[in-house]
Amino acid sequence: MQPIQHPVPLHEPLSRSRASAEFRDAVERFLRTGAPNDRIAFDTYSSPPVKVARALTMLLVSHPELETERVAIDGVSGCEFYRGELTAHTAGGARRVSFEWNCKWKALEQGWTDHFGYPDQIRAAQEFGYDCFRVWRMESEGRPVPTDQPS
């Protein structure tokens, strides 16, 4: 695997989070290699490292209070989307998040089109990065709890 090629703002939210020291080290290893490790699990076929990094960033930005120890992502990726479920294993138990990152949706929301008249997914992905989540819902006692992100 290769290091993450696109800049992902993971360091700042990681430093502000209550994540364990072991998880912090795992994030640094993941950013260097782009590969899963003992604390960040994902299928390299269906989850490109840059999209995994976006999901990790969103987790840390939206839930810095979690004492995250490890994360498992079951996702599927297409050109404009990355959706699935992230399980954050914390000191207090597992927390599941249903998600959909979608740069086409974000481009449509912004009214951005490319020179062919299609939604400018590339611009949306570059300008918004991790913040193209159309859905980010953490389950709480069996009920989804939406974040401030529209769904």
Side-chain angles (χ1 to χ4, degrees), residues 23-51:
F23 184 72
R24 292 169 192 268
D25 291 342
V27 169
E28 294 300 331
R29 280 183 285 146
F30 165 71
L31 290 173
R32 282 192 310 273
T33 66
N37 59 50
D38 59 328
R39 300 213 173 241
I40 301 172
F42 62 94
D43 179 354
T44 57
Y45 179 75
S46 60
S47 293
V50 70
K51 291 183 179 180

Side-chain angles (χ1 to χ4, degrees), residues 22-118:
E22 295 83 5
F23 184 72
R24 292 169 192 268
D25 291 342
V27 169
E28 294 300 331
R29 280 183 285 146
F30 165 71
L31 290 173
R32 282 192 310 273
T33 66
N37 59 50
D38 59 328
R39 300 213 173 241
I40 301 172
F42 62 94
D43 179 354
T44 57
Y45 179 75
S46 60
S47 293
V50 70
K51 291 183 179 180
V52 169
R54 289 173 179 149
L56 292 173
T57 303
M58 186 64 172
L59 174 68
L60 294 167
V61 167
S62 63
H63 297 286
E65 77 285 358
L66 294 179
E67 296 174 13
T68 306
E69 296 173 349
R70 62 188 167 88
V71 167
I73 300 175
D74 182 16
V76 62
S77 178
C79 179
E80 79 234 17
F81 68 87
Y82 181 50
R83 60 179 160 246
E85 186 174 276
L86 178 151
T87 303
H89 298 273
T90 72
R95 304 288 302 269
R96 282 192 300 276
V97 177
S98 299
F99 68 86
E100 179 187 359
W101 180 93
N102 192 311
C103 59
K104 181 178 180 181
W105 162 80
K106 192 67 162 182
L108 288 168
E109 181 184 74
Q110 298 298 313
W112 295 343
T113 56
D114 62 18
H115 60 280
F116 296 111
Y118 296 110

